[in-house]
Amino acid sequence: VALSLIGGAAAALRGGRMAREGVQDVRALATTLVFDGEGAVRGLPGSLRARQIVARTGLEYLGNLASGSANDWALKRELATAYLRIGELQGGVETSNLGDPAGALDSFGQAKALLDAVLTHTPNDRNAVLDRMTVSHRMSDLYRQTGRLLLSAKSTEDGLRRAEALLAAQPGDADAVQYPAVFHLDLGRLRQEGGDLGQAAREIASGVDLLRRLSSV
C-alpha cells in the first residue's frame, strides 16, 4: 500500500507540469502522500517502516523542489507548509508521530527558513506570519522535550515578538490575541522550570489577561 501511494505521488511529480504547477504539486505531496498515504498505513501491523518511507520520500521531493524555488514565493510558501506538516509527522503534534524529534527539528528549520524568505519579500502575508509563529511554537516544544530550555525560550521569545507585532497591527483579530497568549503561557512555564518564579508569574498573568480578552474578540 505504501509503495503504491509513493509511486503514484512520484509519477505526478515527475510529470512535465512540475515547472508550470509547482504549487499544486507541493500541495498534492503534502496532503496525498504525507497525510493520506501515511494515514492509510498507520493502523497496519508493522507499519512503522512504511510510514518512515513515506516521510523520507516526501522530504526528498521537497528538497528537490526547494532547490529550484528561487524567487517563486508562492512555491516557497507551499514548501514551508509541507515541511511543517512533515515535521509534525516526524515528531511534532501528531499523537502517533514517528518519534524522530531531530528530524522534526530539521523539517521545522526548513519551514522557518522558507517562511523568513517569504516574509522578507512580503511582510504582510498574514498566513505566512501565522505559520511562522506556529514553527516557533513547535520548535520550542521539541527543544523543551529534549531538555534544551535555553533554545526553547529563545524560540518562544521569537514567536512572542512576532505575535505582539501582529497584535499591534490587528488588535481585533482573534489569532492576533491567541498567539501571544500561548507564547506568554509557554514562557511562564519555561521561567518556572528555570527557577525564575517572579518572571514566570508575570508571563502567566499576561497570558491569562489575553485569554480573557480573547473571549470578547
Side-chain angles (χ1 to χ4, degrees), residues 66 69-81 114-115 117-118:
S69 62
N71 293 326
D72 188 337
W73 307 109
L75 178 56
K76 287 181 184 292
R77 182 73 185 78
E78 290 292 336
L79 285 167
T81 300
L114 288 161
L115 288 167
V118 170

Side-chain angles (χ1 to χ4, degrees), residues 103-209:
L105 280 170
D106 285 342
S107 294
F108 291 150
Q110 292 288 346
K112 174 182 174 182
L114 288 161
L115 288 167
D116 284 347
V118 170
L119 289 170
T120 297
H121 180 260
T122 314
N124 295 323
D125 184 333
R126 182 178 181 279
N127 287 331
V129 170
L130 295 178
D131 274 358
R132 183 60 178 79
M133 291 189 294
T134 298
V135 168
S136 290
H137 187 254
R138 298 285 189 268
M139 294 183 78
S140 175
D141 278 348
L142 284 174
Y143 283 134
R144 181 175 177 273
Q145 291 170 22
T146 53
R148 289 174 280 183
L149 297 185
L150 289 178
L151 287 174
S152 180
K154 182 178 179 181
S155 186
T156 302
E157 289 164 354
D158 172 72
L160 179 58
R161 283 193 297 272
R162 296 173 186 276
E164 288 179 333
L166 180 64
L167 180 60
Q170 302 177 21
D173 186 304
D175 287 324
V177 178
Q178 182 171 332
Y179 271 92
V182 169
F183 285 124
H184 275 300
L185 294 174
D186 284 350
L187 271 179
R189 178 176 60 181
L190 288 165
R191 301 307 186 211
Q192 180 182 12
E193 292 177 358
D196 189 346
L197 300 184
Q199 186 60 35
R202 287 188 287 274
E203 296 289 358
I204 291 171
S206 295
V208 171
D209 285 344

Side-chain angles (χ1 to χ4, degrees), residues 9-26 29 61-62 64-66 68 72 75:
L13 288 171
R14 280 197 301 267
R17 70 179 184 277
M18 178 181 286
R20 302 189 305 275
E21 300 179 2
V23 171
Q24 289 83 352
D25 285 333
V26 173
L29 173 67
Y61 281 110
L62 288 180
N64 290 336
L65 287 168
D72 188 337
L75 178 56

Side-chain angles (χ1 to χ4, degrees), residues 30-31 33-40 42-43 51 54-55 81-101 104 108 134 137-138 141-142 145:
T31 57
L33 176 60
V34 178
F35 286 93
D36 297 343
E38 189 274 335
R42 182 183 300 173
R51 295 170 67 208
V54 168
T81 300
Y83 271 116
L84 178 57
R85 290 179 174 180
I86 288 184
E88 291 173 346
L89 167 62
Q90 290 173 295
V93 297
E94 290 285 314
T95 55
S96 58
N97 66 60
L98 298 177
D100 181 12
F108 291 150
T134 298
H137 187 254
R138 298 285 189 268
D141 278 348
L142 284 174
Q145 291 170 22

